[in-house]
Amino acid sequence: MTPPAVPDEILGLRRSIDNIDAALVHLLAERFKMTERVGHLKAVGGLPPADPARDRQQIDRLTAMATEAGLDPEFAEGFRAFIVAEVIRHHERIAAEYAAGHLEGDVPALDTFA
């Protein structure tokens, strides 16, 4: 038995979803460029990789935005936590490279939309 054909509306929605996914990937890449620079600036400035006060502000801000946008705030917080954990891991790596003398001097330039 042949499965039913996928309706045109579903195909159109899938194309839109694919476009949104591509935009999200590019936005995340740009975000990680910014957070990498923050990691270098923190390491050079002697700041810790994590900033609990900033994290609390971000949780509150993003939870409110998610609620306003009709997105489950728990999902939004989980997504944010996943991203921030990766950022902190990068910051810890960068700090360790400076501490070990593998990196020194000026902070690399920010390369956005490369």
Side-chain angles (χ1 to χ4, degrees):
M1 180 187 245
T2 304
V6 177
D8 287 343
E9 183 177 4
I10 290 176
L11 295 174
L13 290 167
R14 286 179 177 171
R15 283 189 297 274
S16 293
I17 290 166
D18 291 348
N19 289 337
I20 292 167
D21 288 345
L24 287 170
V25 167
H26 288 281
L27 286 171
L28 284 170
E30 288 303 310
R31 187 186 195 286
F32 274 95
K33 288 176 188 176
M34 304 285 171
T35 60
E36 181 175 0
R37 182 158 173 88
V38 168
H40 283 277
L41 292 168
K42 283 181 172 183
V44 168
L47 295 169
D51 183 343
R54 164 84 172 150
D55 199 40
R56 183 72 249 159
Q57 290 172 338
Q58 286 296 90
I59 290 169
D60 294 344
R61 185 178 75 83
L62 294 175
T63 299
M65 273 197 306
T67 300
E68 202 174 288
L71 182 65
D72 178 1
E74 287 184 30
F75 170 79
E77 167 50 21
F79 185 69
R80 186 212 60 83
F82 174 76
I83 292 170
V84 169
E86 186 66 11
V87 167
I88 290 170
R89 190 178 70 77
H90 287 208
H91 287 187
E92 289 168 343
R93 178 189 48 78
I94 291 166
E97 289 178 8
Y98 276 99
H102 299 299
L103 294 174
E104 57 184 49
D106 295 334
V107 174
L110 181 61
D111 179 22
T112 58
F113 301 107

